[in-house]
Amino acid sequence: MINEGDWNYDETVIKNLGQKYLKSYGEFIDKINDTVNAENNKPNVNYLWDFTLKPVRLQISPHEHIDLVDLINTDNKGLNKVVLVLASLCLEVRELKSQVFNDIIPPLVMYGERPDFETIPKGEAQLMIGRMIHVLQQVRSFIGRCYEVSKNIILQLDVLFGQDKVAQSIVMKDVHFVFVFESLGTVFTLLAILDEVIENNNILNEHWTLYRSILRTVYKAEQFNFDESKLRLFENIIASLEVEVIDGHILQNCLKQSLPVLSNGLQSEMLYCINNLLSANEVASQSSRDKDIHVSLLSPITLYIFYCTVFHVQDKKSFRNMWDLHKRVPFVHIYGPVVLPLTSFLKRHLPFCCKFVDKKMDASVVTNRQSYLQNAVQNLSKDTYNFTAQVAAWCADLNEGFTMEGTVQTGLEKICRLLTNGILLAKNISSLVSMIMNVHSTLSKPITRNSVLCCISLLQQLKIIECMFLEKEELFAMSASHIIQQLTLKVLSTIENLKKKLTQDKKYSYSSLDIIAAMNLIQNNVNGCCSASRNIICQIALEIVQQGRVLPSDDQLMFANIFQKIRIITTFQDKVKKACDTTFIYWHRSICPVYFSYVFNNPTHAPNLQYFISSLADCRSLLLKIAHMSADTDRIGLLKKEILDFFKLEILQPLCTEIETDLRLSTHSHLQLDDRNPLKVGLKSISTLLETYPIRFFDEYIDIKKYVTQYLDMTFYNLTTVALHDWKSYTVMRDFAHQKYKLELIEPHLPSQTVEQGIDVLEIMRNIHIFVSRYSYNLNNQFFVERSSNNKHLNTISIRHIANSIRTHGFGIMNTTVNFTFQYLRKKFYVFSQFLYDDHIYSRLVKDARYFKENKEELDQCYPYDRADKFNKGIRKLGLTDEGLSFLDQFRILITHIGNAMGYIRMIRSGGIHACANAIKFVPDLDDIVNLEEICKAEELPEDTVKAAKVLDDILDNLIKNFADGTAYFKMLVNVFASSFRSQKNQHLKNFYMIVPPLTLNYVEQMMNGKEQINKKNKTGACFTDDGFSMGVAYILKLLEQYSVFDSLHWFQSVNNKFNMEELAVRESKKRESDVKLDQTNTLTMKRLDEYRQEFELLYYSLSSARIFFRTDKDDVPLNVEQTPVQPSAMESNGNPSQ
């Protein structure tokens, strides 16, 4: 263990080091701070608060884990029981409402939707229903839960308002549980909404019929191996789902469930609460258009349906009053595209009361609906203007609202007012837009272009409100607790005054005890966390306090406003999300092209694009809840592609075309063109579109400026390569693009024009497989020559052509060419491996390798020529192609193609050096490059001259770097394949070196035939060079690390020995006989032997040279130049001859 005393350190050194690092850290922080400030100070014409900027959000919704029994604890046990039961039931209704809108309705509404607009293939309908079974089961369970909750509420209320006063726990005189009756109506409303959603989805009903029919066929088909008992059980489940869910009688089944005989007290109280709820709704609707108000209108309507159904009431006056509601609210927007017509709803559920509706009233319904839509459309422009002004004023007030000028109380009241007004404003806008768009769709009325633009403008205002809330969310959260404390103080003080007044009253009764207990209950719950449970308890207790006119009307209104504000403040995040939700736009996304086209023609509206795109992005949550599509379907990707296609078609492509046209007209302004005077033909501010900040859409950004820049770069580059003489025009157009539109286009560095271009490198690279088969490679002179042509000349490719292409396209194509070659080699090596894996080839190679190994001493370490020749001829017995090629011929051609590809890589490298050398040849001394920028600064030359000098310095640095540094492409291509070639799974390749001798014989025969064809009239197959074979053999031997084993064959020495023996036999034949004819034959034989010897020598030299390219210190040592390869000693493979 090391003790502290064992360390030798100087405290001064440590202190100095600490100060040094502390200083550097401070400089780092200052640099970051300056960068952030610079970014924040940039003018952002497309401001939109991005929620991704806050990876951690503050959730201020109150939650507490306290049972209702502990919250409802007063001395009045009877009141405790009543409030406990009613509060728990109301909480249950609240959870049911949250569940139906979050989990139940979205998959039902979205059923049948396909973002790709493709038709449903055959059999897919049954699969879609199969994926929806679990959702329908969930709906069924939800319906059963609603039945139980509604029945429980009814029975509890019947006991409270029944005639049995003994059973009542509290005095019910003048007590009206309007909130509880509203909760009961909410349960009925949820069931009615489910009915409407299922009935409106025609695709769901059609697919359900198909699914039922296919189930019937399963019973008849014997090929399906199903357990019949399980199938019967499943059939029963499907039948129950059809009866309870699909048939659309959910609400009617709830109303018809078995109930005891209900009391008259409950009947009269229910009618009172229905009228009370309708009056409250009418007052609220006159002050604002609120989506929640319209939906809450269904609560008293469904209560009235229950009232008429259960109590068998057929009152003409009350029904007509309910019927007349359509004059004020003809439609109720439920969810997404689902809109509920009130009159149709009443007819469906109260058919026995339809006799009170005469023909005139029935005919006025259609007229009222059309006039409602017409008035809404006529006032839409005015409403859009008013809402836009209100949102702007609200945003300005919100930015000033947190300055806390004046007293703290005034500041908190202002923040509370801004919070509630913002949410109410968002609800009003959302209600107007969703109603107009969905009513048009419901009535099958075409929507005008002006109405579409107004609706989109309102959607943008919604997103502005949402962004402001997100930006000020932390400030709202910090103020929320103080605002709630201020509001609860008013409640507590008012309750305390009422308690004092009540206790001082001499007319003290049992009802007074209930009222005081209810007041205590309110005080206890207001003092704690403002959770939903406490809020519901307070509302129920407040309705008990209101009996006996203890609470004045002004105080009642004050309490209602305070509790409403508390509910809004504690759940403002959820309310803002709900109010600003624009998922309904998914069913109306066909308006996108109209708006995008409008923005292109009016670029001043471009900064608002982000808000509209953000409203489309709200559909993400909806798409994730789709249940009928397979899990691997990219639902969001399909919608994203659709919107981006609209954006490109209506904005990006026309913008690119218009900018390109403008640049061309500006460049050729000296020609006689149409009048371009902006005072006569008008002027479109295209620059506003280009200045728009990148638009976020799901997980991508739409950068208009970048897209246009890439389009112009690609267009100018392609057109310049086609017509090099137009290079100057495109250079001028680039300058205009920078001056007029601030576009930074890339300089392509293409030559002005080149006469001797040859075949383009890019063309060869794209068609490398065709090139290596049609051209032959010459190793020594580094050129490719075409094998055959229909013309009178053959094309050639040399280093000069490659250099010209690199000069045209830049040095970047070199690495791309290597990548294309790698892809080509990978395919060819697969064929190479398959050939050597063949049993006929593999067995012959193994047999030859074993023979040479066992008879190495007798053969004088030389692989016999005769055995290789036998292999070459024996392969032909396996079969020939239509062209007369054996399998060994095809294998030789494969290796030649591989070698040609490697030769092309060598030419690319040489051409790059050649192009760089030509560019840098005017530099006097590469080792002593002066810095022109510093010289210009020292001479105090103008700034433009200094910039030009800096550009020249950068060019020189780049050229010197390219000239001095080289890339070992051969080494890269060896390393990338070496591991695979040398792995255990490719053991069949280890005998490749044994096939090289037969290949060389095959190659020499082919070259002899090719050279003979040169002097003939029919030059098919003529060639004079084909060094790709040598390159390919050398490359593959290197990949397999078989240089040494191949050298052990002493193959070329064996060939030389063979030729020496044949020459000796010819000479001896000449000495023995002097026949003239025999002499001619011997002369021809000697000539043929000399040609073969020469061809083998050329192959030896080419192979030895090719091996140098892949040489490493451990496997290749160059041969002595003075060695003569014709002699046997020269054929020893101790190394490679130098070029």
Side-chain angles (χ1 to χ4, degrees):
M1 185 175 180
I2 301 176
N3 298 322
E4 184 179 359
D6 297 335
W7 293 95
N8 294 322
Y9 58 87
D10 190 350
E11 294 183 357
T12 306
V13 174
I14 295 177
K15 184 177 180 180
N16 292 336
L17 286 173
Q19 291 177 352
K20 177 182 177 182
Y21 285 109
L22 186 61
K23 182 180 178 181
S24 63
Y25 182 72
E27 293 175 352
F28 173 72
I29 295 297
D30 292 339
K31 184 178 179 181
I32 291 179
N33 190 32
D34 295 340
T35 305
V36 172
N37 291 334
E39 290 294 328
N40 292 335
N41 293 330
K42 286 183 178 180
N44 188 348
V45 298
N46 193 26
Y47 172 76
L48 179 64
W49 185 261
D50 189 356
F51 69 92
T52 57
L53 298 176
K54 303 172 72 173
V56 178
R57 288 187 63 189
L58 180 63
Q59 181 61 257
I60 69 168
S61 299
H63 298 280
E64 61 178 352
H65 301 283
I66 301 178
D67 293 333
L68 287 176
V69 178
D70 298 326
L71 293 176
I72 305 171
N73 188 12
T74 65
D75 296 334
N76 193 328
K77 303 300 180 181
L79 183 135
N80 290 349
K81 294 178 181 179
V82 172
V83 176
L84 177 62
V85 170
L86 297 180
S88 60
L89 289 173
C90 292
L91 274 174
E92 185 79 7
V93 173
R94 183 176 179 272
E95 293 178 3
L96 289 173
K97 184 177 180 181
S98 175
Q99 181 185 0
V100 75
F101 283 105
N102 292 332
D103 303 327
I104 304 295
I105 292 181
L108 292 176
V109 173
M110 290 297 291
Y111 182 84
E113 291 291 337
R114 295 181 68 87
D116 52 0
F117 288 106
E118 293 182 359
T119 57
I120 299 176
K122 187 176 180 180
E124 181 65 19
Q126 291 84 348
L127 293 175
M128 290 166 61
I129 287 291
R131 301 186 191 107
M132 281 288 292
I133 293 297
H134 76 282
V135 177
L136 297 176
Q137 282 281 67
Q138 188 179 3
V139 175
R140 181 187 175 190
S141 301
F142 173 82
I143 292 171
R145 188 178 170 193
C146 287
Y147 288 176
E148 294 177 1
V149 170
S150 60
K151 185 176 182 179
N152 198 344
I153 294 176
I154 293 168
L155 295 178
Q156 295 293 341
L157 291 175
D158 184 56
V159 171
L160 288 174
F161 294 101
Q163 300 298 327
D164 189 3
K165 301 298 181 180
V166 179
Q168 294 178 352
S169 301
I170 59 174
V171 179
M172 295 300 298
K173 184 180 180 181
D174 296 330
V175 176
H176 306 288
F177 289 119
V178 180
F179 178 74
V180 180
F181 278 100
E182 185 179 12
S183 299
L184 177 61
T186 301
V187 178
F188 295 147
T189 301
L190 298 181
L191 298 177
I193 288 174
L194 283 177
D195 268 338
E196 201 67 27
V197 168
I198 294 173
E199 183 182 8
N200 282 342
N201 198 326
N202 297 325
I203 299 177
L204 177 62
N205 293 288
E206 292 175 4
H207 289 184
W208 182 263
T209 304
L210 295 174
Y211 190 77
R212 289 300 306 271
S213 63
I214 201 174
L215 281 181
R216 298 187 188 99
T217 60
V218 173
Y219 284 109
K220 301 178 181 179
E222 297 179 355
Q223 65 267 26
F224 300 112
N225 187 17
F226 285 120
D227 186 351
E228 188 174 349
S229 61
K230 293 183 179 179
L231 192 60
R232 293 287 181 187
L233 179 60
F234 183 71
E235 176 66 22
N236 294 334
I237 294 174
I238 296 299
S240 62
L241 287 177
E242 183 171 358
V243 173
E244 299 178 19
V245 180
I246 301 298
D247 284 346
H249 302 300
I250 300 174
L251 178 59
Q252 288 296 325
N253 293 337
C254 179
L255 300 179
K256 293 177 182 179
Q257 60 182 329
S258 60
L259 292 171
V261 179
L262 302 179
S263 64
N264 295 330
L266 177 62
Q267 179 180 353
S268 59
E269 185 64 26
M270 184 175 292
L271 183 61
Y272 171 84
C273 291
I274 291 172
N275 294 328
N276 191 297
L277 289 172
L278 288 175
S279 300
N281 186 277
E282 183 177 2
V283 172
S285 64
Q286 290 176 355
S287 61
S288 63
R289 291 186 299 271
D290 187 348
K291 180 170 64 175
D292 284 344
I293 290 176
H294 288 174
V295 173
S296 64
L297 182 63
L298 292 177
S299 181
I301 293 176
T302 51
L303 272 178
Y304 179 76
I305 293 172
F306 173 81
Y307 172 78
C308 294
T309 303
V310 174
F311 295 108
H312 307 289
V313 175
Q314 297 185 21
D315 183 30
K316 180 178 180 181
K317 181 179 179 182
S318 62
F319 180 78
R320 286 196 169 185
N321 291 335
M322 199 67 65
W323 181 271
D324 290 339
L325 288 175
H326 81 276
K327 297 179 181 179
R328 176 166 56 90
V329 185
F331 299 97
V332 175
H333 177 227
I334 295 177
Y335 189 93
V338 183
V339 174
L340 177 66
L342 286 184
T343 53
S344 302
F345 182 69
L346 289 172
K347 282 183 178 181
R348 179 182 175 185
H349 294 286
L350 292 176
F352 52 85
C353 292
C354 292
K355 60 186 178 182
F356 302 132
V357 180
D358 54 25
K359 294 183 179 179
K360 184 178 179 181
M361 292 174 62
D362 199 10
S364 65
V365 172
V366 178
T367 306
N368 182 67
R369 292 176 181 176
Q370 294 177 352
S371 61
Y372 173 82
L373 179 61
Q374 185 178 359
N375 292 333
V377 171
Q378 288 178 353
N379 297 326
L380 184 57
S381 299
K382 180 181 176 181
D383 291 338
T384 302
Y385 176 80
N386 292 333
F387 278 129
T388 303
Q390 292 176 31
V391 170
W394 178 79
C395 292
D397 292 341
L398 188 62
N399 287 325
E400 297 177 358
F402 290 95
T403 55
M404 289 297 183
E405 295 180 359
T407 62
V408 175
Q409 182 178 358
T410 305
L412 292 175
E413 289 177 353
K414 183 178 181 181
I415 294 173
C416 181
R417 185 173 64 254
L418 288 172
L419 182 63
T420 54
N421 289 345
I423 294 175
L424 180 61
L425 188 59
K427 286 182 178 181
N428 294 341
I429 295 174
S430 177
S431 173
L432 178 61
V433 177
S434 60
M435 187 61 66
I436 286 179
M437 301 187 76
N438 288 310
V439 169
H440 272 93
S441 178
T442 303
L443 299 180
S444 301
K445 296 286 185 180
I447 186 170
T448 63
R449 183 172 180 270
N450 182 60
S451 298
V452 168
L453 297 177
C454 290
C455 289
I456 292 176
S457 177
L458 292 174
L459 288 176
Q460 293 168 351
Q461 301 305 315
L462 269 181
K463 288 302 159 184
I464 290 174
I465 294 175
E466 185 179 19
C467 293
M468 289 299 296
F469 271 116
L470 287 172
E471 183 184 359
K472 305 294 184 181
E473 188 176 54
E474 296 177 0
L475 298 175
F476 276 126
M478 289 189 292
S479 305
S481 59
H482 301 290
I483 296 173
I484 293 174
Q485 186 178 8
Q486 185 182 22
L487 294 173
T488 53
L489 180 62
K490 292 181 181 180
V491 174
L492 292 174
S493 60
T494 305
I495 291 294
E496 190 63 31
N497 293 332
L498 290 174
K499 283 175 62 178
K500 290 181 180 179
K501 181 179 178 181
L502 191 62
T503 52
Q504 293 175 1
D505 190 3
K506 296 181 180 179
K507 298 179 180 180
Y508 207 69
S509 61
Y510 287 105
S511 61
S512 301
L513 294 176
D514 295 337
I515 294 172
I516 293 175
M519 289 181 180
N520 292 330
L521 191 59
I522 294 174
Q523 286 180 324
N524 295 336
N525 284 274
V526 165
N527 273 325
C529 168
C530 297
S531 61
S533 304
R534 293 176 182 269
N535 200 292
I536 290 174
I537 292 171
C538 290
Q539 290 189 70
I540 295 174
L542 188 61
E543 291 181 339
I544 297 175
V545 172
Q546 290 175 1
Q547 66 174 315
R549 298 180 181 179
V550 175
L551 197 63
S553 58
D554 293 341
D555 289 343
Q556 292 180 17
L557 184 61
M558 181 198 70
F559 277 125
N561 291 333
I562 288 177
F563 284 117
Q564 182 184 12
K565 289 179 181 179
I566 291 176
R567 286 195 300 272
I568 291 175
I569 292 170
T570 53
T571 60
F572 84 90
Q573 291 172 319
D574 295 332
K575 290 189 177 296
V576 168
K577 182 180 178 181
K578 181 181 177 182
C580 299
D581 181 48
T582 57
T583 52
F584 60 86
I585 198 67
Y586 175 82
W587 289 271
H588 309 284
R589 59 190 184 279
S590 57
I591 67 175
C592 293
V594 177
Y595 177 66
F596 291 153
S597 176
Y598 172 77
V599 171
F600 174 73
N601 295 317
N602 301 272
T604 53
H605 294 271
N608 294 327
L609 269 172
Q610 175 65 86
Y611 297 110
F612 178 64
I613 296 295
S614 178
S615 66
L616 292 170
D618 280 356
C619 301
R620 181 179 184 275
S621 59
L622 198 63
L623 294 172
L624 293 176
K625 294 180 181 179
I626 292 179
H628 64 276
M629 298 179 71
S630 58
D632 58 347
T633 305
D634 187 9
R635 310 154 192 174
I636 298 175
L638 293 173
L639 176 64
K640 182 170 63 176
K641 181 181 181 300
E642 179 190 349
I643 302 302
L644 291 180
D645 288 345
F646 287 148
F647 196 86
K648 291 178 182 178
L649 183 63
E650 300 295 339
I651 293 183
L652 295 180
Q653 293 177 3
L655 179 63
C656 293
T657 304
E658 186 160 337
I659 290 178
E660 182 185 359
T661 303
D662 181 63
L663 293 176
R664 292 185 183 278
L665 295 177
S666 300
T667 305
H668 301 90
S669 58
H670 58 283
L671 303 177
Q672 187 175 358
L673 305 172
D674 296 334
D675 192 359
R676 302 182 66 220
N677 188 343
L679 298 177
K680 296 180 180 179
V681 298
L683 180 65
K684 185 188 294 184
S685 180
I686 301 178
S687 299
T688 307
L689 282 169
L690 297 176
E691 292 170 359
T692 304
Y693 271 54
I695 301 170
R696 181 181 177 86
F697 185 47
F698 291 117
D699 56 345
E700 291 186 4
Y701 281 92
I702 307 173
D703 193 337
I704 299 177
K705 187 174 183 179
K706 184 177 179 181
Y707 185 91
V708 174
T709 302
Q710 291 178 347
Y711 170 82
L712 293 177
D713 278 332
M714 180 182 65
T715 303
F716 292 170
Y717 181 88
N718 292 338
L719 294 178
T720 304
T721 55
V722 173
L724 291 172
H725 56 275
D726 285 338
W727 67 273
K728 188 173 182 180
S729 298
Y730 292 110
T731 302
V732 175
M733 290 169 68
R734 287 188 188 88
D735 294 337
F736 274 123
H738 177 70
Q739 295 172 9
K740 296 185 67 174
Y741 303 112
K742 303 295 188 296
L743 297 176
E744 300 293 338
L745 302 184
I746 299 174
E747 180 62 40
H749 300 288
L750 291 174
S752 56
Q753 193 167 13
T754 302
V755 178
E756 188 182 7
Q757 186 72 30
I759 301 178
D760 191 52
V761 171
L762 290 179
E763 191 66 24
I764 298 174
M765 178 180 66
R766 297 189 184 105
N767 302 284
I768 185 71
H769 60 290
I770 300 175
F771 172 75
V772 297
S773 62
R774 292 184 179 179
Y775 282 78
S776 297
Y777 178 58
N778 186 279
L779 183 67
N780 296 322
N781 295 320
Q782 282 206 74
F783 68 85
F784 280 92
V785 61
E786 198 172 9
R787 292 181 181 272
S788 62
S789 174
N790 295 327
N791 302 322
K792 292 183 179 181
H793 63 275
L794 298 176
N795 292 324
T796 61
I797 300 173
S798 63
I799 295 176
R800 186 171 62 255
H801 297 125
I802 301 295
N804 289 335
S805 293
I806 292 175
R807 181 187 172 200
T808 300
H809 300 291
F811 289 93
I813 64 170
M814 297 173 65
N815 292 331
T816 308
T817 302
V818 176
N819 187 32
F820 269 80
T821 306
F822 162 73
Q823 301 293 340
Y824 170 76
L825 290 176
R826 189 171 61 175
K827 296 178 182 178
K828 288 297 179 183
F829 280 139
Y830 175 76
V831 181
F832 171 84
S833 176
Q834 293 289 63
F835 178 81
L836 293 180
Y837 193 75
D838 185 82
D839 291 338
H840 296 286
I841 305 301
Y842 183 74
S843 60
R844 289 172 182 263
L845 294 179
V846 171
K847 182 178 179 181
D848 289 346
R850 187 184 304 114
Y851 170 79
F852 179 71
K853 184 177 180 181
E854 293 174 354
N855 302 282
K856 190 181 298 183
E857 300 299 332
E858 292 81 356
L859 297 174
D860 195 19
Q861 302 292 333
C862 294
Y863 185 73
Y865 180 93
D866 296 336
R867 198 165 186 88
D869 187 49
K870 180 182 177 182
F871 188 100
N872 182 28
K873 295 177 180 178
I875 290 295
R876 300 184 67 86
K877 297 178 181 179
L878 298 178
L880 302 175
T881 63
D882 296 337
E883 294 80 11
L885 299 176
S886 66
F887 289 109
L888 195 63
D889 291 328
Q890 297 178 64
F891 190 57
R892 170 184 51 78
I893 293 172
L894 173 68
I895 294 176
T896 302
H897 290 175
I898 294 173
N900 285 344
M902 299 303 294
Y904 180 61
I905 293 298
R906 181 191 175 201
M907 283 189 64
I908 286 291
R909 177 71 184 98
S910 302
I913 296 175
H914 188 77
C916 189
N918 287 335
I920 209 171
K921 62 184 178 182
F922 299 104
V923 178
D925 188 358
L926 297 179
D927 297 328
D928 185 18
I929 302 295
V930 297
N931 193 311
L932 298 177
E933 183 183 9
E934 295 180 358
I935 295 175
C936 292
K937 288 181 179 179
E939 295 295 332
E940 298 181 354
L941 295 177
E943 185 178 354
D944 292 340
T945 306
V946 176
K947 290 182 179 179
K950 185 178 183 304
V951 171
L952 182 56
D953 287 338
D954 294 339
I955 293 173
L956 291 175
D957 291 341
N958 186 33
L959 289 174
I960 292 170
K961 181 180 178 182
N962 289 329
F963 183 74
D965 299 340
T967 305
Y969 293 128
F970 280 179
K971 184 177 179 181
M972 291 168 53
L973 291 173
V974 169
N975 293 338
V976 76
F977 289 111
S979 58
S980 297
F981 269 66
R982 301 166 188 172
S983 64
Q984 292 294 327
K985 65 179 181 179
N986 289 323
Q987 284 295 311
H988 61 284
L989 303 180
K990 68 179 182 179
N991 295 320
F992 169 74
Y993 71 98
M994 291 303 301
I995 204 174
V996 175
L999 281 174
T1000 58
L1001 293 178
N1002 187 284
Y1003 168 77
V1004 169
E1005 291 177 0
Q1006 181 262 341
M1007 288 303 299
M1008 294 292 292
N1009 295 332
K1011 290 180 180 180
E1012 288 175 359
Q1013 290 295 115
I1014 292 177
N1015 298 322
K1016 295 181 180 180
K1017 186 176 182 180
N1018 184 11
K1019 294 181 171 55
T1020 304
C1023 66
F1024 67 93
T1025 182
D1026 200 4
D1027 292 335
F1029 174 76
S1030 303
M1031 288 288 291
V1033 171
Y1035 178 44
I1036 296 173
L1037 286 175
K1038 178 62 180 177
L1039 290 176
L1040 295 169
E1041 284 189 330
Q1042 292 184 350
Y1043 280 171
S1044 58
V1045 291
F1046 173 69
D1047 290 343
S1048 66
L1049 298 179
H1050 299 90
W1051 166 242
F1052 289 101
Q1053 180 181 347
S1054 178
V1055 172
N1056 195 53
N1057 293 338
K1058 171 69 175 177
F1059 290 154
N1060 289 338
M1061 292 172 60
E1062 290 189 0
E1063 286 180 0
L1064 182 60
V1066 172
R1067 291 191 185 99
E1068 291 179 354
S1069 177
K1070 282 184 179 182
K1071 291 179 181 180
R1072 289 195 303 266
E1073 299 179 12
S1074 59
D1075 189 1
V1076 177
K1077 293 183 178 180
L1078 188 58
D1079 289 342
Q1080 292 177 353
T1081 302
N1082 290 332
T1083 303
L1084 292 174
T1085 303
M1086 288 295 292
K1087 182 180 178 182
R1088 189 71 174 174
L1089 289 173
D1090 288 339
E1091 290 176 353
Y1092 268 95
R1093 183 192 294 275
Q1094 184 180 4
E1095 204 58 49
F1096 266 103
E1097 289 176 5
L1098 290 174
L1099 176 59
Y1100 173 72
Y1101 287 134
S1102 299
L1103 183 58
S1104 301
S1105 301
R1107 287 174 61 172
I1108 293 176
F1109 300 134
F1110 308 100
R1111 184 185 64 198
T1112 57
D1113 295 338
K1114 66 179 182 178
D1115 56 16
D1116 279 329
V1117 180
L1119 284 174
N1120 192 336
V1121 179
E1122 296 180 357
Q1123 288 181 327
T1124 306
V1126 180
Q1127 302 299 327
S1129 60
M1131 305 304 285
E1132 297 286 349
S1133 296
N1134 295 328
N1136 291 312
S1138 61
Q1139 286 181 304

